[in-house]
Amino acid sequence: MTFLGGWTPIATAAALTIPPLVALYFLKLRRRSLPVSSTLLWKRAVEDLQVNAPFQRIRNNLLLWLQLLVLILAALCLGKPMMQAVKSDKDNLVILIDHSASMNVEEPGGDTRLAIAKNQAKTIIDNMPDGSRAMIIGFADRASIISSFDTDRKILKTRIDELEETESTTTLAEAVSLAEAYMQNLVIAGDAKGTDIEVATSEGPARVVILTDGNVADEDTLTIKRMPVESMEVVSIGERDDNVAIMSMDARRNYERPAALEVFAAVHNFGSTKFAVDANLYINGEHVDVQSMVLEPGRTANTNADADESTDSMSVVNRIRDAAPLPGSVASVAFDEIEYEGGGVVEVRLKVADALESDNKAWTIVRPPRNVSVLLVTPGNVFLDRLMNALPIICKRMSPAEYESASEEDLTFAGRSKYDVVIIENHNTDRLWAGNYIFFGGVPLIEGVSAEGNIEDEVIFNWDESHPILRYVAVETVQVFKWLRLTLPLHAEVLIEGESSPLLAYMSDEGRQFLLCAFGIIAEDEFTGEPMLNTDWVVKAHFPVFISNALQYLAGSLSPKGVRNVQPGEPMEFPVPEGEDTLYVRRPDGREDAVPTAGFNTVNYARTRKVGVYEAKPSIEGHNAYAVNLFSRDESSICPRQTLTLSGAKIESRGGIRRVNKPVWPWLLLSMLGILALEWAIYSKRVYV
């Protein structure tokens, strides 16, 4: 038996209670002398009257022994006695606690999954043998060390209580990397490849316990290098699966009537029950419209009906959980067209009683209708000139030489480009302020981007037709004679790909968005030096569609998930007005964070683990707010997983913690109650011994 509270509270309680009890039995009552007719029935009382001293010899009294036993048991309870059921050596534990959005589901007992996981983690800490140590890591979209290795159970449990809930997605890679970095074995890097020296320690390998509901986005790509996967344990948290979620939202203005606003949303039912849902539309907090729908179950409740005799029921649960929602469980919501010429926050809110609240709302930011302003930098291109005149935009033209010699005041305002989009043809430049740029046959002179030579006699190999910039664009009909061999950073998104080099790519960098087209519309003939048409795209009907899509996308008026939308945990980038040294970001919970600008033109803000609208003040109008939406199938599909596949190894989860150390104090308290009942019975019957 061990005492989690130590011997100090036991000794203190015994010293304060047992001596006074014994002293009471030494004391003699002082009685008044009264004449009585007989003492025949008072034989016991006569003995007390024989001595006139304040103390008497203590007698063997059953009540005294019972009271002493009660006090001893109470003192032992203060020490939190534990009975060790399984004898084990000291342990090294790494406890990984999931605190992503799906862990906010409230289970039938009233506790959230995160609260249940915290209690399970505390039970693991209580079960540790003497001398063991544990490390606590919280993981969601990012991982953080809640407590480094410690042997103090009280401190470890306090750190667990401090773990905050988030509304982020779930990834394990960073948590695994942190755990591996804190493993006991030390690696000393050698001077040459393959000469690293591993220094073994006397400590045994750490045991890893993962507390999660299993909604891990990077399960298939996770690589575990140093941790023993076979000794990892997964504790499955939660039971509920009833959830309806907004999976996408878009608010856009009618192309021909900019004052008309259209709002769409896609709603999924991930649970096993039918839901009747009201989708409400709000603009700047005012209710505008409501649409009702009925969503059929997204998965089959009776999983055993789909399993044959050789199929484990848990594998069926996992297969259904991973499968796409049934067709009847998805609904597209199109709200009535609204005449709205202002800007602000558009919100779609579901009225439904389900398990997860954070995916029942979605937001996007709309701007007042206006024409996009474009700066066209070209040595001369009749096709682009005519196209700019045909589009509903405001266009100013410059030659490359005029652009390079123009003053900064002519091109910028408050540290940003004065134009919504700058189109640059057949020219490389580093005059790139915060803003949006389209390059044809040229590249921005920034780190990670370069063009080396030309590519000829190749065909377009692949393209992303789902991207908004290529919407309604027939890329398969486009022919290009030659294009630049581009080298792009890893975060660049290739939209059109050639056999050996990208033709069209999108990337963002330090408050700037770039759409890089590797070919110019006009190119020089390599033999005569005369200008020639380099592509037939400009004579096709979908080229104006492409330019219109690109302008609207870069200007922020067209996006698949709302304007300036990010997922929880992703950073936001706010432009800094000239002369400001601090921005104040108002979070969805109403609190404000002060963000020093440190003299930069833009600042990044990353405390975005809650869904809602984040607004910066002071800032530049049109660039001062972001909408954070969950939009994650992994988080909204809340049915707990019973199996995780990590680094190719399947790990079966279990539903709770097996106690190694069993608490004894509840039984001691029960014994105390029994003894007190016996003492009361003896005292009531006036039994003396």
Side-chain angles (χ1 to χ4, degrees), residues 4 239 269 394 399 412 437 486 556 591 680:
L4 296 182
E239 300 175 5
N269 179 8
I394 301 172
S399 68
T412 66
Y437 300 87
L486 294 182
R591 298 181 181 179
W680 175 83

Side-chain angles (χ1 to χ4, degrees), residues 549-611:
N549 287 348
L551 292 178
Q552 293 184 70
Y553 184 86
L554 295 177
S557 58
L558 176 64
S559 175
K561 296 178 181 176
V563 178
R564 301 180 71 79
N565 176 81
V566 299
Q567 280 199 309
E570 293 182 356
M572 303 171 177
E573 190 172 63
F574 293 104
V576 179
E578 189 173 359
E580 297 293 340
D581 57 4
T582 304
L583 292 187
Y584 296 91
V585 179
R586 185 177 181 86
R587 306 199 312 244
D589 58 8
R591 298 181 181 179
E592 284 191 351
D593 288 332
V595 184
T597 63
F600 291 99
N601 293 329
T602 61
V603 296
N604 288 325
Y605 179 79
R607 296 187 63 183
T608 60
R609 286 184 153 187
K610 296 288 186 179
V611 297

Side-chain angles (χ1 to χ4, degrees), residues 118-144:
K118 287 181 177 181
N119 291 333
Q120 296 277 35
K122 292 177 187 177
T123 302
I124 295 174
I125 299 300
D126 286 336
N127 285 346
M128 292 194 313
D130 293 338
S132 298
R133 60 184 198 152
M135 176 184 182
I136 313 296
I137 296 176
F139 67 95
D141 61 298
R142 301 291 301 274
S144 58

